[in-house]
Amino acid sequence: MDDRARAFWVVAPGRGEVRDVPLAAPGEGEVLVRTLFSGVSRGTEALVFRGGVPPGQRAVMRAPFQEGDFPGPVKYGYLNVGVVEQGPAELVGLTVFSLYPHQTRFVVPASAVRPLPEGLPPGRAVLAGTVETAVNALWDAPPLVGDRVAVVGAGMVGCCLARLLRAVPGTRVQLVDTDPARAATADRLGVGFAGPASAFDGCDLVFHTSASGAGLARALELVATEGEVVELSWYGDREVSLPLGGDFHSRRLTVRASQVGAVSPARRGRYGHGDRLDLALRLLADPAFDAVVTGESTFERLPVVLPRLADGSLPALCHRVVYP
């Protein structure tokens, strides 16, 4: 077996490189996976790339198979689809999803990979971790039949949320974003779209994913009296002002945090992390999710591509990385 692989590392804030890394032979209960695709979760990975993880959150922000420490050098990422080349007989040859960083081949416990459902395209399956985040948010704050729902922020998580919300009978779903180009994505997802100034107010439920203080403030304006805003954005080391004056108290508004690191208390007794990920993979049978993958490049170009994703000069929702 070749005992080397290639991996992408953030070597210092704002600078990445592809390195040769040692590759051990799989032991009992482990699998060797050859990567087909990985996905760049633009919001979180841009924050990691620029060194924006605050010291007090560095332990919480660790990815499952991260190596190194923030701000760097660090090997980070969690959207990986590959083929099992060695391991238990029932897994060899299967295409699997795992929460592994950007690397050509790797060894992990067999329990850390989830086989793709039959018929799910591997290139779409890189969205599994993002859909899993959306599932957890919907467990935290489930919409009711006929609800008026806004999703403020048409990024990866916001778009996946909107598509799942669309399946609730009678629900009016609107994606809200400052970029008018996201209207075409909303159309492919089968939901409405509006800029912040023209969005419908009086919403029963608002999910906020824009990672901006202005977006959070607008979410509070869009929600109805006694409604709920679910905050999914990760701000890293940035301070965010929340407008709690005015009519915040008289309207009895609620702001709830949702984060994928722990299974929602509403389902924790019946679902583990693996069960939740399996559900996300089943939901990805819907081809509409292809609208969320908006860019693609080869693995060896990551040191050039990630800085452009981080500074916004290369616009993308999910950027897919293709391996040899």
mmCIF file with all atom_site columns, all heavy atoms in Angstrom, residues 147-153 161 165 171-176 199-201 203-208 219 222-223 228 230:
data_model
loop_
_atom_site.group_PDB
_atom_site.id
_atom_site.type_symbol
_atom_site.label_atom_id
_atom_site.label_alt_id
_atom_site.label_comp_id
_atom_site.label_asym_id
_atom_site.label_entity_id
_atom_site.label_seq_id
_atom_site.pdbx_PDB_ins_code
_atom_site.Cartn_x
_atom_site.Cartn_y
_atom_site.Cartn_z
_atom_site.occupancy
_atom_site.B_iso_or_equiv
_atom_site.pdbx_formal_charge
_atom_site.auth_seq_id
_atom_site.auth_comp_id
_atom_site.auth_asym_id
_atom_site.auth_atom_id
_atom_site.pdbx_PDB_model_num
ATOM 1   N N   . ASP A 1 147 ? -47.490 27.644 8.101  1.00 0.00 ? 147 ASP A N   1
ATOM 2   C CA  . ASP A 1 147 ? -46.670 28.731 8.634  1.00 0.00 ? 147 ASP A CA  1
ATOM 3   C C   . ASP A 1 147 ? -46.103 29.609 7.522  1.00 0.00 ? 147 ASP A C   1
ATOM 4   O O   . ASP A 1 147 ? -45.843 29.154 6.406  1.00 0.00 ? 147 ASP A O   1
ATOM 5   C CB  . ASP A 1 147 ? -45.503 28.182 9.458  1.00 0.00 ? 147 ASP A CB  1
ATOM 6   C CG  . ASP A 1 147 ? -45.853 28.015 10.924 1.00 0.00 ? 147 ASP A CG  1
ATOM 7   O OD1 . ASP A 1 147 ? -46.979 28.361 11.315 1.00 0.00 ? 147 ASP A OD1 1
ATOM 8   O OD2 . ASP A 1 147 ? -44.982 27.535 11.687 1.00 0.00 ? 147 ASP A OD2 1
ATOM 9   N N   . ARG A 1 148 ? -45.893 30.876 7.885  1.00 0.00 ? 148 ARG A N   1
ATOM 10  C CA  . ARG A 1 148 ? -45.163 31.812 7.030  1.00 0.00 ? 148 ARG A CA  1
ATOM 11  C C   . ARG A 1 148 ? -43.735 31.852 7.558  1.00 0.00 ? 148 ARG A C   1
ATOM 12  O O   . ARG A 1 148 ? -43.494 32.245 8.706  1.00 0.00 ? 148 ARG A O   1
ATOM 13  C CB  . ARG A 1 148 ? -45.811 33.192 7.109  1.00 0.00 ? 148 ARG A CB  1
ATOM 14  C CG  . ARG A 1 148 ? -47.247 33.228 6.592  1.00 0.00 ? 148 ARG A CG  1
ATOM 15  C CD  . ARG A 1 148 ? -48.035 34.349 7.202  1.00 0.00 ? 148 ARG A CD  1
ATOM 16  N NE  . ARG A 1 148 ? -48.134 34.197 8.664  1.00 0.00 ? 148 ARG A NE  1
ATOM 17  C CZ  . ARG A 1 148 ? -48.715 35.072 9.466  1.00 0.00 ? 148 ARG A CZ  1
ATOM 18  N NH1 . ARG A 1 148 ? -49.239 36.186 8.965  1.00 0.00 ? 148 ARG A NH1 1
ATOM 19  N NH2 . ARG A 1 148 ? -48.775 34.866 10.769 1.00 0.00 ? 148 ARG A NH2 1
ATOM 20  N N   . VAL A 1 149 ? -42.783 31.443 6.720  1.00 0.00 ? 149 VAL A N   1
ATOM 21  C CA  . VAL A 1 149 ? -41.399 31.270 7.168  1.00 0.00 ? 149 VAL A CA  1
ATOM 22  C C   . VAL A 1 149 ? -40.452 32.035 6.254  1.00 0.00 ? 149 VAL A C   1
ATOM 23  O O   . VAL A 1 149 ? -40.568 31.959 5.020  1.00 0.00 ? 149 VAL A O   1
ATOM 24  C CB  . VAL A 1 149 ? -40.995 29.781 7.189  1.00 0.00 ? 149 VAL A CB  1
ATOM 25  C CG1 . VAL A 1 149 ? -39.604 29.615 7.794  1.00 0.00 ? 149 VAL A CG1 1
ATOM 26  C CG2 . VAL A 1 149 ? -42.013 28.945 7.963  1.00 0.00 ? 149 VAL A CG2 1
ATOM 27  N N   . ALA A 1 150 ? -39.526 32.757 6.856  1.00 0.00 ? 150 ALA A N   1
ATOM 28  C CA  . ALA A 1 150 ? -38.459 33.406 6.100  1.00 0.00 ? 150 ALA A CA  1
ATOM 29  C C   . ALA A 1 150 ? -37.129 32.776 6.485  1.00 0.00 ? 150 ALA A C   1
ATOM 30  O O   . ALA A 1 150 ? -36.921 32.403 7.642  1.00 0.00 ? 150 ALA A O   1
ATOM 31  C CB  . ALA A 1 150 ? -38.430 34.909 6.383  1.00 0.00 ? 150 ALA A CB  1
ATOM 32  N N   . VAL A 1 151 ? -36.251 32.664 5.512  1.00 0.00 ? 151 VAL A N   1
ATOM 33  C CA  . VAL A 1 151 ? -34.865 32.252 5.743  1.00 0.00 ? 151 VAL A CA  1
ATOM 34  C C   . VAL A 1 151 ? -33.994 33.414 5.299  1.00 0.00 ? 151 VAL A C   1
ATOM 35  O O   . VAL A 1 151 ? -33.909 33.711 4.100  1.00 0.00 ? 151 VAL A O   1
ATOM 36  C CB  . VAL A 1 151 ? -34.507 30.973 4.962  1.00 0.00 ? 151 VAL A CB  1
ATOM 37  C CG1 . VAL A 1 151 ? -33.056 30.576 5.247  1.00 0.00 ? 151 VAL A CG1 1
ATOM 38  C CG2 . VAL A 1 151 ? -35.456 29.834 5.327  1.00 0.00 ? 151 VAL A CG2 1
ATOM 39  N N   . VAL A 1 152 ? -33.392 34.101 6.246  1.00 0.00 ? 152 VAL A N   1
ATOM 40  C CA  . VAL A 1 152 ? -32.581 35.280 5.948  1.00 0.00 ? 152 VAL A CA  1
ATOM 41  C C   . VAL A 1 152 ? -31.135 34.833 5.767  1.00 0.00 ? 152 VAL A C   1
ATOM 42  O O   . VAL A 1 152 ? -30.468 34.414 6.718  1.00 0.00 ? 152 VAL A O   1
ATOM 43  C CB  . VAL A 1 152 ? -32.688 36.330 7.068  1.00 0.00 ? 152 VAL A CB  1
ATOM 44  C CG1 . VAL A 1 152 ? -31.804 37.532 6.744  1.00 0.00 ? 152 VAL A CG1 1
ATOM 45  C CG2 . VAL A 1 152 ? -34.142 36.768 7.247  1.00 0.00 ? 152 VAL A CG2 1
ATOM 46  N N   . GLY A 1 153 ? -30.655 34.905 4.523  1.00 0.00 ? 153 GLY A N   1
ATOM 47  C CA  . GLY A 1 153 ? -29.313 34.443 4.187  1.00 0.00 ? 153 GLY A CA  1
ATOM 48  C C   . GLY A 1 153 ? -29.381 33.242 3.270  1.00 0.00 ? 153 GLY A C   1
ATOM 49  O O   . GLY A 1 153 ? -29.663 32.132 3.713  1.00 0.00 ? 153 GLY A O   1
ATOM 50  N N   . LEU A 1 161 ? -32.087 24.659 4.047  1.00 0.00 ? 161 LEU A N   1
ATOM 51  C CA  . LEU A 1 161 ? -33.244 24.847 4.924  1.00 0.00 ? 161 LEU A CA  1
ATOM 52  C C   . LEU A 1 161 ? -34.503 25.162 4.123  1.00 0.00 ? 161 LEU A C   1
ATOM 53  O O   . LEU A 1 161 ? -35.576 24.588 4.361  1.00 0.00 ? 161 LEU A O   1
ATOM 54  C CB  . LEU A 1 161 ? -32.962 25.989 5.892  1.00 0.00 ? 161 LEU A CB  1
ATOM 55  C CG  . LEU A 1 161 ? -32.603 25.673 7.326  1.00 0.00 ? 161 LEU A CG  1
ATOM 56  C CD1 . LEU A 1 161 ? -32.164 26.946 8.043  1.00 0.00 ? 161 LEU A CD1 1
ATOM 57  C CD2 . LEU A 1 161 ? -33.767 25.026 8.053  1.00 0.00 ? 161 LEU A CD2 1
ATOM 58  N N   . LEU A 1 165 ? -38.011 23.137 4.126  1.00 0.00 ? 165 LEU A N   1
ATOM 59  C CA  . LEU A 1 165 ? -39.221 23.815 4.593  1.00 0.00 ? 165 LEU A CA  1
ATOM 60  C C   . LEU A 1 165 ? -40.337 23.744 3.561  1.00 0.00 ? 165 LEU A C   1
ATOM 61  O O   . LEU A 1 165 ? -41.525 23.693 3.906  1.00 0.00 ? 165 LEU A O   1
ATOM 62  C CB  . LEU A 1 165 ? -38.898 25.279 4.907  1.00 0.00 ? 165 LEU A CB  1
ATOM 63  C CG  . LEU A 1 165 ? -38.164 25.555 6.216  1.00 0.00 ? 165 LEU A CG  1
ATOM 64  C CD1 . LEU A 1 165 ? -37.521 26.934 6.182  1.00 0.00 ? 165 LEU A CD1 1
ATOM 65  C CD2 . LEU A 1 165 ? -39.124 25.442 7.396  1.00 0.00 ? 165 LEU A CD2 1
ATOM 66  N N   . THR A 1 171 ? -46.981 25.725 3.745  1.00 0.00 ? 171 THR A N   1
ATOM 67  C CA  . THR A 1 171 ? -46.001 26.693 4.231  1.00 0.00 ? 171 THR A CA  1
ATOM 68  C C   . THR A 1 171 ? -45.601 27.665 3.119  1.00 0.00 ? 171 THR A C   1
ATOM 69  O O   . THR A 1 171 ? -45.347 27.260 1.989  1.00 0.00 ? 171 THR A O   1
ATOM 70  C CB  . THR A 1 171 ? -44.744 25.965 4.748  1.00 0.00 ? 171 THR A CB  1
ATOM 71  O OG1 . THR A 1 171 ? -45.126 25.082 5.784  1.00 0.00 ? 171 THR A OG1 1
ATOM 72  C CG2 . THR A 1 171 ? -43.730 26.955 5.303  1.00 0.00 ? 171 THR A CG2 1
ATOM 73  N N   . ARG A 1 172 ? -45.546 28.955 3.452  1.00 0.00 ? 172 ARG A N   1
ATOM 74  C CA  . ARG A 1 172 ? -45.013 29.955 2.539  1.00 0.00 ? 172 ARG A CA  1
ATOM 75  C C   . ARG A 1 172 ? -43.566 30.211 2.941  1.00 0.00 ? 172 ARG A C   1
ATOM 76  O O   . ARG A 1 172 ? -43.285 30.671 4.044  1.00 0.00 ? 172 ARG A O   1
ATOM 77  C CB  . ARG A 1 172 ? -45.810 31.250 2.643  1.00 0.00 ? 172 ARG A CB  1
ATOM 78  C CG  . ARG A 1 172 ? -45.396 32.312 1.609  1.00 0.00 ? 172 ARG A CG  1
ATOM 79  C CD  . ARG A 1 172 ? -45.811 33.697 2.064  1.00 0.00 ? 172 ARG A CD  1
ATOM 80  N NE  . ARG A 1 172 ? -44.989 34.147 3.196  1.00 0.00 ? 172 ARG A NE  1
ATOM 81  C CZ  . ARG A 1 172 ? -45.243 35.242 3.913  1.00 0.00 ? 172 ARG A CZ  1
ATOM 82  N NH1 . ARG A 1 172 ? -46.302 35.967 3.658  1.00 0.00 ? 172 ARG A NH1 1
ATOM 83  N NH2 . ARG A 1 172 ? -44.450 35.597 4.917  1.00 0.00 ? 172 ARG A NH2 1
ATOM 84  N N   . VAL A 1 173 ? -42.640 29.893 2.043  1.00 0.00 ? 173 VAL A N   1
ATOM 85  C CA  . VAL A 1 173 ? -41.211 30.005 2.341  1.00 0.00 ? 173 VAL A CA  1
ATOM 86  C C   . VAL A 1 173 ? -40.601 31.071 1.450  1.00 0.00 ? 173 VAL A C   1
ATOM 87  O O   . VAL A 1 173 ? -40.799 31.071 0.228  1.00 0.00 ? 173 VAL A O   1
ATOM 88  C CB  . VAL A 1 173 ? -40.481 28.661 2.116  1.00 0.00 ? 173 VAL A CB  1
ATOM 89  C CG1 . VAL A 1 173 ? -39.020 28.777 2.521  1.00 0.00 ? 173 VAL A CG1 1
ATOM 90  C CG2 . VAL A 1 173 ? -41.168 27.540 2.874  1.00 0.00 ? 173 VAL A CG2 1
ATOM 91  N N   . GLN A 1 174 ? -39.845 31.973 2.058  1.00 0.00 ? 174 GLN A N   1
ATOM 92  C CA  . GLN A 1 174 ? -39.167 33.010 1.289  1.00 0.00 ? 174 GLN A CA  1
ATOM 93  C C   . GLN A 1 174 ? -37.706 33.089 1.715  1.00 0.00 ? 174 GLN A C   1
ATOM 94  O O   . GLN A 1 174 ? -37.401 33.222 2.900  1.00 0.00 ? 174 GLN A O   1
ATOM 95  C CB  . GLN A 1 174 ? -39.844 34.364 1.516  1.00 0.00 ? 174 GLN A CB  1
ATOM 96  C CG  . GLN A 1 174 ? -39.308 35.470 0.606  1.00 0.00 ? 174 GLN A CG  1
ATOM 97  C CD  . GLN A 1 174 ? -40.128 36.750 0.728  1.00 0.00 ? 174 GLN A CD  1
ATOM 98  O OE1 . GLN A 1 174 ? -40.167 37.353 1.786  1.00 0.00 ? 174 GLN A OE1 1
ATOM 99  N NE2 . GLN A 1 174 ? -40.785 37.142 -0.359 1.00 0.00 ? 174 GLN A NE2 1
ATOM 100 N N   . LEU A 1 175 ? -36.808 32.970 0.727  1.00 0.00 ? 175 LEU A N   1
ATOM 101 C CA  . LEU A 1 175 ? -35.391 33.214 0.941  1.00 0.00 ? 175 LEU A CA  1
ATOM 102 C C   . LEU A 1 175 ? -35.145 34.723 0.831  1.00 0.00 ? 175 LEU A C   1
ATOM 103 O O   . LEU A 1 175 ? -35.623 35.362 -0.102 1.00 0.00 ? 175 LEU A O   1
ATOM 104 C CB  . LEU A 1 175 ? -34.552 32.487 -0.114 1.00 0.00 ? 175 LEU A CB  1
ATOM 105 C CG  . LEU A 1 175 ? -33.944 31.131 0.232  1.00 0.00 ? 175 LEU A CG  1
ATOM 106 C CD1 . LEU A 1 175 ? -33.241 30.560 -1.005 1.00 0.00 ? 175 LEU A CD1 1
ATOM 107 C CD2 . LEU A 1 175 ? -32.965 31.217 1.383  1.00 0.00 ? 175 LEU A CD2 1
ATOM 108 N N   . VAL A 1 176 ? -34.379 35.250 1.776  1.00 0.00 ? 176 VAL A N   1
ATOM 109 C CA  . VAL A 1 176 ? -34.106 36.691 1.800  1.00 0.00 ? 176 VAL A CA  1
ATOM 110 C C   . VAL A 1 176 ? -32.596 36.885 1.746  1.00 0.00 ? 176 VAL A C   1
ATOM 111 O O   . VAL A 1 176 ? -31.862 36.330 2.566  1.00 0.00 ? 176 VAL A O   1
ATOM 112 C CB  . VAL A 1 176 ? -34.680 37.336 3.076  1.00 0.00 ? 176 VAL A CB  1
ATOM 113 C CG1 . VAL A 1 176 ? -34.392 38.834 3.093  1.00 0.00 ? 176 VAL A CG1 1
ATOM 114 C CG2 . VAL A 1 176 ? -36.176 37.061 3.195  1.00 0.00 ? 176 VAL A CG2 1
ATOM 115 N N   . ALA A 1 199 ? -38.964 41.977 1.702  1.00 0.00 ? 199 ALA A N   1
ATOM 116 C CA  . ALA A 1 199 ? -39.374 40.684 2.257  1.00 0.00 ? 199 ALA A CA  1
ATOM 117 C C   . ALA A 1 199 ? -40.693 40.814 3.012  1.00 0.00 ? 199 ALA A C   1
ATOM 118 O O   . ALA A 1 199 ? -41.005 41.854 3.601  1.00 0.00 ? 199 ALA A O   1
ATOM 119 C CB  . ALA A 1 199 ? -38.294 40.150 3.185  1.00 0.00 ? 199 ALA A CB  1
ATOM 120 N N   . PHE A 1 200 ? -41.461 39.735 2.993  1.00 0.00 ? 200 PHE A N   1
ATOM 121 C CA  . PHE A 1 200 ? -42.712 39.698 3.749  1.00 0.00 ? 200 PHE A CA  1
ATOM 122 C C   . PHE A 1 200 ? -42.425 39.730 5.250  1.00 0.00 ? 200 PHE A C   1
ATOM 123 O O   . PHE A 1 200 ? -41.538 39.016 5.732  1.00 0.00 ? 200 PHE A O   1
ATOM 124 C CB  . PHE A 1 200 ? -43.503 38.426 3.427  1.00 0.00 ? 200 PHE A CB  1
ATOM 125 C CG  . PHE A 1 200 ? -44.022 38.359 2.028  1.00 0.00 ? 200 PHE A CG  1
ATOM 126 C CD1 . PHE A 1 200 ? -43.692 37.301 1.202  1.00 0.00 ? 200 PHE A CD1 1
ATOM 127 C CD2 . PHE A 1 200 ? -44.863 39.352 1.534  1.00 0.00 ? 200 PHE A CD2 1
ATOM 128 C CE1 . PHE A 1 200 ? -44.185 37.223 -0.099 1.00 0.00 ? 200 PHE A CE1 1
ATOM 129 C CE2 . PHE A 1 200 ? -45.353 39.282 0.243  1.00 0.00 ? 200 PHE A CE2 1
ATOM 130 C CZ  . PHE A 1 200 ? -45.015 38.224 -0.577 1.00 0.00 ? 200 PHE A CZ  1
ATOM 131 N N   . ASP A 1 201 ? -43.199 40.523 5.989  1.00 0.00 ? 201 ASP A N   1
ATOM 132 C CA  . ASP A 1 201 ? -43.081 40.474 7.439  1.00 0.00 ? 201 ASP A CA  1
ATOM 133 C C   . ASP A 1 201 ? -44.235 39.640 8.002  1.00 0.00 ? 201 ASP A C   1
ATOM 134 O O   . ASP A 1 201 ? -44.935 38.945 7.259  1.00 0.00 ? 201 ASP A O   1
ATOM 135 C CB  . ASP A 1 201 ? -43.051 41.882 8.028  1.00 0.00 ? 201 ASP A CB  1
ATOM 136 C CG  . ASP A 1 201 ? -44.287 42.697 7.676  1.00 0.00 ? 201 ASP A CG  1
ATOM 137 O OD1 . ASP A 1 201 ? -45.262 42.118 7.140  1.00 0.00 ? 201 ASP A OD1 1
ATOM 138 O OD2 . ASP A 1 201 ? -44.288 43.912 7.931  1.00 0.00 ? 201 ASP A OD2 1
ATOM 139 N N   . CYS A 1 203 ? -43.937 36.988 9.847  1.00 0.00 ? 203 CYS A N   1
ATOM 140 C CA  . CYS A 1 203 ? -43.588 35.570 9.743  1.00 0.00 ? 203 CYS A CA  1
ATOM 141 C C   . CYS A 1 203 ? -43.767 34.862 11.087 1.00 0.00 ? 203 CYS A C   1
ATOM 142 O O   . CYS A 1 203 ? -43.444 35.408 12.148 1.00 0.00 ? 203 CYS A O   1
ATOM 143 C CB  . CYS A 1 203 ? -42.146 35.410 9.282  1.00 0.00 ? 203 CYS A CB  1
ATOM 144 S SG  . CYS A 1 203 ? -41.851 35.996 7.605  1.00 0.00 ? 203 CYS A SG  1
ATOM 145 N N   . ASP A 1 204 ? -44.257 33.649 11.040 1.00 0.00 ? 204 ASP A N   1
ATOM 146 C CA  . ASP A 1 204 ? -44.387 32.845 12.256 1.00 0.00 ? 204 ASP A CA  1
ATOM 147 C C   . ASP A 1 204 ? -43.020 32.384 12.756 1.00 0.00 ? 204 ASP A C   1
ATOM 148 O O   . ASP A 1 204 ? -42.813 32.215 13.966 1.00 0.00 ? 204 ASP A O   1
ATOM 149 C CB  . ASP A 1 204 ? -45.264 31.625 11.977 1.00 0.00 ? 204 ASP A CB  1
ATOM 150 C CG  . ASP A 1 204 ? -46.650 32.012 11.498 1.00 0.00 ? 204 ASP A CG  1
ATOM 151 O OD1 . ASP A 1 204 ? -47.427 32.518 12.327 1.00 0.00 ? 204 ASP A OD1 1
ATOM 152 O OD2 . ASP A 1 204 ? -46.925 31.845 10.294 1.00 0.00 ? 204 ASP A OD2 1
ATOM 153 N N   . LEU A 1 205 ? -42.097 32.202 11.824 1.00 0.00 ? 205 LEU A N   1
ATOM 154 C CA  . LEU A 1 205 ? -40.784 31.656 12.149 1.00 0.00 ? 205 LEU A CA  1
ATOM 155 C C   . LEU A 1 205 ? -39.773 32.219 11.163 1.00 0.00 ? 205 LEU A C   1
ATOM 156 O O   . LEU A 1 205 ? -40.057 32.318 9.967  1.00 0.00 ? 205 LEU A O   1
ATOM 157 C CB  . LEU A 1 205 ? -40.838 30.124 12.018 1.00 0.00 ? 205 LEU A CB  1
ATOM 158 C CG  . LEU A 1 205 ? -39.689 29.252 12.480 1.00 0.00 ? 205 LEU A CG  1
ATOM 159 C CD1 . LEU A 1 205 ? -39.400 29.440 13.970 1.00 0.00 ? 205 LEU A CD1 1
ATOM 160 C CD2 . LEU A 1 205 ? -40.018 27.781 12.196 1.00 0.00 ? 205 LEU A CD2 1
ATOM 161 N N   . VAL A 1 206 ? -38.611 32.625 11.673 1.00 0.00 ? 206 VAL A N   1
ATOM 162 C CA  . VAL A 1 206 ? -37.548 33.128 10.810 1.00 0.00 ? 206 VAL A CA  1
ATOM 163 C C   . VAL A 1 206 ? -36.251 32.424 11.178 1.00 0.00 ? 206 VAL A C   1
ATOM 164 O O   . VAL A 1 206 ? -35.867 32.378 12.357 1.00 0.00 ? 206 VAL A O   1
ATOM 165 C CB  . VAL A 1 206 ? -37.359 34.656 10.943 1.00 0.00 ? 206 VAL A CB  1
ATOM 166 C CG1 . VAL A 1 206 ? -36.194 35.130 10.070 1.00 0.00 ? 206 VAL A CG1 1
ATOM 167 C CG2 . VAL A 1 206 ? -38.636 35.397 10.560 1.00 0.00 ? 206 VAL A CG2 1
ATOM 168 N N   . PHE A 1 207 ? -35.593 31.862 10.173 1.00 0.00 ? 207 PHE A N   1
ATOM 169 C CA  . PHE A 1 207 ? -34.272 31.261 10.362 1.00 0.00 ? 207 PHE A CA  1
ATOM 170 C C   . PHE A 1 207 ? -33.239 32.253 9.831  1.00 0.00 ? 207 PHE A C   1
ATOM 171 O O   . PHE A 1 207 ? -33.355 32.727 8.699  1.00 0.00 ? 207 PHE A O   1
ATOM 172 C CB  . PHE A 1 207 ? -34.156 29.939 9.600  1.00 0.00 ? 207 PHE A CB  1
ATOM 173 C CG  . PHE A 1 207 ? -35.036 28.857 10.143 1.00 0.00 ? 207 PHE A CG  1
ATOM 174 C CD1 . PHE A 1 207 ? -36.332 28.698 9.674  1.00 0.00 ? 207 PHE A CD1 1
ATOM 175 C CD2 . PHE A 1 207 ? -34.585 27.998 11.136 1.00 0.00 ? 207 PHE A CD2 1
ATOM 176 C CE1 . PHE A 1 207 ? -37.159 27.708 10.171 1.00 0.00 ? 207 PHE A CE1 1
ATOM 177 C CE2 . PHE A 1 207 ? -35.407 26.996 11.641 1.00 0.00 ? 207 PHE A CE2 1
ATOM 178 C CZ  . PHE A 1 207 ? -36.690 26.848 11.155 1.00 0.00 ? 207 PHE A CZ  1
ATOM 179 N N   . HIS A 1 208 ? -32.206 32.546 10.649 1.00 0.00 ? 208 HIS A N   1
ATOM 180 C CA  . HIS A 1 208 ? -31.193 33.493 10.225 1.00 0.00 ? 208 HIS A CA  1
ATOM 181 C C   . HIS A 1 208 ? -29.875 32.773 9.979  1.00 0.00 ? 208 HIS A C   1
ATOM 182 O O   . HIS A 1 208 ? -29.341 32.103 10.868 1.00 0.00 ? 208 HIS A O   1
ATOM 183 C CB  . HIS A 1 208 ? -30.971 34.596 11.267 1.00 0.00 ? 208 HIS A CB  1
ATOM 184 C CG  . HIS A 1 208 ? -29.897 35.552 10.846 1.00 0.00 ? 208 HIS A CG  1
ATOM 185 N ND1 . HIS A 1 208 ? -28.740 35.741 11.564 1.00 0.00 ? 208 HIS A ND1 1
ATOM 186 C CD2 . HIS A 1 208 ? -29.792 36.333 9.730  1.00 0.00 ? 208 HIS A CD2 1
ATOM 187 C CE1 . HIS A 1 208 ? -27.974 36.614 10.915 1.00 0.00 ? 208 HIS A CE1 1
ATOM 188 N NE2 . HIS A 1 208 ? -28.598 36.973 9.806  1.00 0.00 ? 208 HIS A NE2 1
ATOM 189 N N   . ALA A 1 219 ? -34.145 39.977 10.539 1.00 0.00 ? 219 ALA A N   1
ATOM 190 C CA  . ALA A 1 219 ? -34.914 38.799 10.939 1.00 0.00 ? 219 ALA A CA  1
ATOM 191 C C   . ALA A 1 219 ? -35.874 39.138 12.073 1.00 0.00 ? 219 ALA A C   1
ATOM 192 O O   . ALA A 1 219 ? -37.034 38.702 12.084 1.00 0.00 ? 219 ALA A O   1
ATOM 193 C CB  . ALA A 1 219 ? -33.971 37.677 11.358 1.00 0.00 ? 219 ALA A CB  1
ATOM 194 N N   . LEU A 1 222 ? -38.861 40.908 10.688 1.00 0.00 ? 222 LEU A N   1
ATOM 195 C CA  . LEU A 1 222 ? -39.754 40.118 9.850  1.00 0.00 ? 222 LEU A CA  1
ATOM 196 C C   . LEU A 1 222 ? -40.651 39.181 10.648 1.00 0.00 ? 222 LEU A C   1
ATOM 197 O O   . LEU A 1 222 ? -41.691 38.744 10.154 1.00 0.00 ? 222 LEU A O   1
ATOM 198 C CB  . LEU A 1 222 ? -38.943 39.295 8.842  1.00 0.00 ? 222 LEU A CB  1
ATOM 199 C CG  . LEU A 1 222 ? -38.129 40.076 7.805  1.00 0.00 ? 222 LEU A CG  1
ATOM 200 C CD1 . LEU A 1 222 ? -37.356 39.128 6.917  1.00 0.00 ? 222 LEU A CD1 1
ATOM 201 C CD2 . LEU A 1 222 ? -39.028 40.981 6.972  1.00 0.00 ? 222 LEU A CD2 1
ATOM 202 N N   . VAL A 1 223 ? -40.257 38.834 11.875 1.00 0.00 ? 223 VAL A N   1
ATOM 203 C CA  . VAL A 1 223 ? -41.025 37.861 12.637 1.00 0.00 ? 223 VAL A CA  1
ATOM 204 C C   . VAL A 1 223 ? -42.241 38.518 13.279 1.00 0.00 ? 223 VAL A C   1
ATOM 205 O O   . VAL A 1 223 ? -42.213 39.694 13.670 1.00 0.00 ? 223 VAL A O   1
ATOM 206 C CB  . VAL A 1 223 ? -40.132 37.177 13.698 1.00 0.00 ? 223 VAL A CB  1
ATOM 207 C CG1 . VAL A 1 223 ? -39.811 38.108 14.863 1.00 0.00 ? 223 VAL A CG1 1
ATOM 208 C CG2 . VAL A 1 223 ? -40.755 35.882 14.184 1.00 0.00 ? 223 VAL A CG2 1
ATOM 209 N N   . GLU A 1 228 ? -40.584 33.546 16.577 1.00 0.00 ? 228 GLU A N   1
ATOM 210 C CA  . GLU A 1 228 ? -39.267 33.035 16.967 1.00 0.00 ? 228 GLU A CA  1
ATOM 211 C C   . GLU A 1 228 ? -38.269 33.213 15.833 1.00 0.00 ? 228 GLU A C   1
ATOM 212 O O   . GLU A 1 228 ? -38.576 32.914 14.671 1.00 0.00 ? 228 GLU A O   1
ATOM 213 C CB  . GLU A 1 228 ? -39.381 31.551 17.342 1.00 0.00 ? 228 GLU A CB  1
ATOM 214 C CG  . GLU A 1 228 ? -38.112 30.935 17.869 1.00 0.00 ? 228 GLU A CG  1
ATOM 215 C CD  . GLU A 1 228 ? -38.350 29.529 18.412 1.00 0.00 ? 228 GLU A CD  1
ATOM 216 O OE1 . GLU A 1 228 ? -39.151 28.781 17.809 1.00 0.00 ? 228 GLU A OE1 1
ATOM 217 O OE2 . GLU A 1 228 ? -37.733 29.176 19.428 1.00 0.00 ? 228 GLU A OE2 1
ATOM 218 N N   . VAL A 1 230 ? -34.573 31.833 14.730 1.00 0.00 ? 230 VAL A N   1
ATOM 219 C CA  . VAL A 1 230 ? -33.601 30.776 14.992 1.00 0.00 ? 230 VAL A CA  1
ATOM 220 C C   . VAL A 1 230 ? -32.272 31.200 14.385 1.00 0.00 ? 230 VAL A C   1
ATOM 221 O O   . VAL A 1 230 ? -32.171 31.392 13.171 1.00 0.00 ? 230 VAL A O   1
ATOM 222 C CB  . VAL A 1 230 ? -34.072 29.427 14.406 1.00 0.00 ? 230 VAL A CB  1
ATOM 223 C CG1 . VAL A 1 230 ? -33.083 28.317 14.771 1.00 0.00 ? 230 VAL A CG1 1
ATOM 224 C CG2 . VAL A 1 230 ? -35.475 29.093 14.896 1.00 0.00 ? 230 VAL A CG2 1
#
